Amino acid sequence: MKTPTTYRPVQILLHWAIALLFLALFVFENSMGRALRTVLNGGTVSYTLGVGFHVFGGLLVLALATWRLALRRVAGVPPPPANDPPMQTLAAHAVHWGLYAMMFLIPVLGAVAWFGGVALAGDAHSLSTGVLQFLVGAHVLGALWHQYGLKDGLVYRMWFRGPSLQQARIKPENQD
């Protein structure tokens, strides 16, 4: 498979769809937490907009993340910039794979807590969202560093109609 120089439009769409879903799910986090505590304590909860969206949105994140990972395997991804220091490349890989892990772990833990009534899964779900927030922050800071510190145009790979690596002044690993 030839290494792509930019992401496919569907990969870009999935990236931003999952990002927006995570943001929206964070907004409805409190109502879901209260509902789960009520259910775990033997009470009943009617599905409010916040609870319903949180359950549906979490399952949607899981589905979209599965699609995204499958597409990554089939279509590939652009290589990291060759001019990045090795530790920066390692950190970027760790953050990206950490984000993928959270895209799967958080919805699964939430589903086990909500549908299975497992309080420990609910606690782990809540703790994992803190890890997600840290990773998202690191991801955003890395993108801002490339855009405004290095001014290499790396972020254009994740925008529709963005320039390729060559147009964005990024030297890919596999070219001299």
Side-chain angles (χ1 to χ4, degrees):
M1 170 177 44
K2 184 179 175 198
T3 303
T5 58
T6 190
Y7 290 94
R8 291 183 175 189
V10 68
Q11 289 172 301
I12 296 168
L13 181 66
L14 287 169
H15 172 272
W16 291 109
I18 292 170
L20 289 173
L21 266 172
F22 270 141
L23 180 63
L25 290 167
F26 181 72
V27 169
F28 289 110
E29 178 183 22
N30 287 336
S31 60
M32 188 65 204
R34 283 191 303 274
L36 180 60
R37 283 188 296 279
T38 300
V39 168
L40 291 174
N41 289 326
T44 58
V45 174
S46 60
Y47 270 81
T48 63
L49 175 64
V51 170
F53 177 80
H54 198 93
V55 172
F56 173 76
L59 295 174
L60 185 57
V61 165
L62 189 58
L64 294 178
T66 301
W67 183 14
R68 186 173 174 185
L69 200 57
L71 190 57
R72 177 186 179 96
R73 182 160 172 80
V74 171
V77 295
N83 49 341
D84 280 356
M87 288 305 290
Q88 185 173 318
T89 299
L90 180 63
H93 282 302
V95 168
H96 283 116
W97 285 108
L99 287 167
Y100 274 108
M102 292 299 108
M103 284 184 243
F104 288 94
L105 182 66
I106 291 173
V108 167
L109 288 170
V112 169
W114 184 251
F115 296 113
V118 180
L120 185 59
D123 294 340
H125 176 80
S126 294
L127 289 172
S128 298
T129 60
V131 174
L132 174 67
Q133 290 168 355
F134 172 80
L135 291 169
V136 167
H139 184 66
V140 169
L141 287 174
L144 292 172
W145 169 246
H146 275 278
Q147 185 65 19
Y148 299 109
L150 298 176
K151 297 181 181 173
D152 63 7
L154 180 76
V155 298
Y156 293 120
R157 298 189 314 180
M158 198 45 81
W159 289 105
F160 293 102
R161 296 180 174 242
S164 68
L165 290 176
Q166 291 78 19
Q167 295 166 322
R169 297 182 309 190
I170 298 170
K171 182 179 174 187
E173 282 182 342
N174 56 355
Q175 294 183 358
D176 290 321

